[in-house]
Amino acid sequence: MPDKTPLRRRLIEVADCVLVLIDMQDSFFDKYEKAKSEEVITKSVWLLRVAGNNGVPVVAMAEDIPNMGNLNDRITHALPKGSTVFNKDFFGCGDQVEILKAIKATGRGTAILIGVETDVCVAHSALSLMQHDFDVAVVRDVTATTVGDQD
């Protein structure tokens, strides 16, 4: 029986997690200070390796790939072999049928979100996934936005 204690008051179970990677494209990274972009990319690659070593599935997506480009090359190379990068048409990934289907297909109940822009696509994705009964956690160190100061 799943633990229904609010996520903020319990530990996250690795076996219940899916890593959801949102819009980590150079078209976004080019808007940030170079040091911030490098930090997010480096930590993303590290977290993708940790996920892979722990059997955590990854669902990756990028916004409007034809116009904004694919994921950053370093991040793409760190994805598990055979990963699909979904073309995301909505702010919230839970609002796009094929992406939601891929996340649900993992059989995991806790979505760990990383990506950009924190205030739009990451936030909307968190809200939309919660509407589909996922527990959601956002890794603050692996997010970025151009709006205000995240700290």
Side-chain angles (χ1 to χ4, degrees):
M1 177 182 228
D3 184 353
K4 289 300 179 186
T5 305
L7 191 59
R8 65 183 175 176
R9 295 190 181 149
R10 65 181 166 90
L11 296 175
I12 295 172
E13 297 289 334
V14 172
D16 189 47
C17 291
V18 53
L19 183 62
V20 179
L21 188 145
I22 303 166
D23 302 346
M24 293 199 168
Q25 297 154 273
D26 288 332
S27 54
F28 286 110
F29 288 127
D30 290 345
K31 297 177 184 179
Y32 311 133
E33 291 180 15
K34 187 170 175 72
K36 178 63 176 177
S37 294
E38 182 60 29
E39 176 185 13
V40 172
I41 292 167
T42 299
K43 289 180 179 181
S44 297
V45 168
W46 177 82
L47 192 54
L48 284 163
R49 289 185 182 133
V50 169
N53 289 336
N54 286 284
V56 174
V58 176
V59 177
M61 64 213 65
E63 182 178 324
D64 190 16
I65 295 171
N67 292 310
M68 297 183 69
N70 208 336
L71 297 176
N72 170 273
D73 284 342
R74 287 174 43 206
I75 292 170
T76 299
H77 286 46
L79 290 171
K81 298 243 187 275
S83 291
T84 298
V85 177
F86 291 93
N87 184 48
K88 186 170 68 61
D89 297 319
F90 297 90
F91 290 140
C93 67
D95 297 327
Q96 190 159 336
V97 174
E98 65 272 16
I99 296 174
L100 180 60
K101 185 177 177 181
I103 295 169
K104 285 184 172 184
T106 67
R108 307 296 177 99
T110 303
I112 307 298
L113 276 53
I114 61 174
V116 298
E117 296 258 315
T118 311
D119 58 310
V120 182
C121 293
V122 176
H124 282 262
S125 292
L127 293 169
S128 66
L129 290 172
M130 286 188 292
Q131 288 177 333
H132 290 283
D133 296 323
F134 283 89
D135 286 328
V136 174
V138 176
V139 182
R140 183 178 185 184
D141 291 354
V142 193
T143 62
T145 185
T146 55
V147 177
D149 188 344
Q150 287 188 163
D151 298 327

